[in-house]
Amino acid sequence: MKLAKGICALVAGAFFAGGAVAQDWYVSGSAGVSFQSDSDNFGTTGAFTTGDIGDGSTIDVAAGTDYGWTTEFDAGFAVAGEAGARFGQGFRAGFEISYTDANVDTHRDVTLGGGPIGALDAAALAGAPAPLGVTIADLVADGQGDITSLAFMANLYYDLNLGGRIQPYVGAGVGVADVDVDYSPSGVVIIDDGETKFAYQFKAGATYKATQALDLFAEYVYRATDDIEVDNALFPGTLEIENQQNMVLAGARLNF
């Protein structure tokens, strides 16, 4: 949190205190690949009774029972746009809007009350009165759905090798991300919810000075938010979802 406050102060200072000495302004656009990190989802249930666990019986689950599973994601895409200003001495700052989308690949290792339940009939989670003939593990292995994020970030950069044709840079930013989560394995909606959370990111990249007015750049971005807390649509309970991304983007920057 101290780091976040420090970045906010530096970005705000660059824009509002140093705005009068900005050397030039720029706008940029970029696109690339987003690698959503696996999420160890965890939460607690409300009180409910399962469906048939496969032998004609059910389980009464007490409120506050722990449950969770791990979700893996396919590679997704990312697009971003930024407007900012340079302030000399290698510093620049910008406000960025970006969107990412990654499809669910699979879910695995479902637990309830600290123990694995993947071998139970899927009717237990679906609340069905008769067995469905497929296990929970098989049902969730067919990962459908996605996780999307619309982020608004304030970034601070430091450019190296000023005056050179190729200029490496590093950057960091803070802001908020509106994250939507859809977990629908085998078409069964378990999570369809979202939350807006504090976000932070770190960047490393390089700029190629094509002309005085046009820069081409490529960058690596690590972005994370606080855990996303969502409601379970299948049975009473909440779930916390980890949200971390590694992105590789390329784009162009117009200088004014």
Side-chain angles (χ1 to χ4, degrees):
M1 188 58 68
K2 290 182 179 179
L3 175 61
K5 291 181 179 179
I7 296 173
C8 283
L10 288 171
V11 173
F15 268 99
F16 299 113
V21 296
Q23 294 183 348
D24 57 57
W25 300 85
Y26 68 85
V27 294
S28 69
S30 59
V33 182
S34 174
F35 301 96
Q36 186 81 25
S37 298
D38 295 352
S39 174
D40 292 324
N41 315 291
F42 61 93
T44 56
T45 72
F48 75 102
T49 300
T50 70
D52 193 319
I53 66 172
D55 60 3
S57 64
T58 60
I59 299 173
D60 292 327
V61 179
T65 300
D66 294 334
Y67 77 106
W69 65 86
T70 297
T71 300
E72 299 176 6
F73 298 91
D74 294 325
F77 70 89
V79 292
E82 184 174 87
R86 303 178 188 277
F87 301 98
Q89 308 280 314
F91 288 100
R92 58 186 167 92
F95 288 109
E96 175 187 29
I97 300 175
S98 69
Y99 179 81
T100 64
D101 188 342
N103 290 331
V104 173
D105 177 29
T106 189
H107 306 282
R108 57 179 172 83
D109 303 331
V110 183
T111 63
L112 179 66
I117 60 170
L120 299 182
D121 192 276
L125 288 187
L132 299 178
V134 61
T135 65
I136 291 174
D138 288 339
L139 181 143
V140 302
D142 176 32
Q144 298 181 33
D146 62 3
I147 182 169
T148 63
S149 177
L150 180 64
F152 302 86
M153 309 295 294
N155 299 316
L156 179 68
Y157 301 92
Y158 183 66
D159 294 310
L160 303 168
N161 192 35
L162 296 181
R165 199 67 179 265
I166 298 177
Q167 299 178 1
Y169 63 85
V170 293
V174 293
V176 295
D178 183 21
V179 183
D180 288 319
V181 182
D182 175 12
Y183 286 172
S184 302
S186 299
V188 178
V189 178
I190 299 177
I191 303 295
D192 186 10
D193 199 5
E195 193 176 25
T196 299
K197 284 290 190 177
F198 167 78
Y200 62 93
Q201 64 184 15
F202 301 98
K203 296 187 177 189
T207 297
Y208 174 73
K209 305 293 290 185
T211 67
Q212 184 174 358
L214 176 65
D215 297 339
L216 303 178
F217 67 91
E219 63 184 16
Y220 161 78
V221 184
Y222 170 80
R223 181 184 298 154
T225 70
D226 294 338
D227 289 348
I228 310 302
E229 186 173 316
V230 293
D231 291 327
N232 193 315
L234 197 58
F235 55 81
T238 59
L239 193 70
E240 293 191 18
I241 296 169
E242 297 174 330
N243 182 36
Q244 302 176 39
Q245 301 163 300
N246 293 274
M247 293 171 277
V248 179
L249 301 99
R253 188 182 303 119
L254 294 177
N255 303 306
F256 301 97

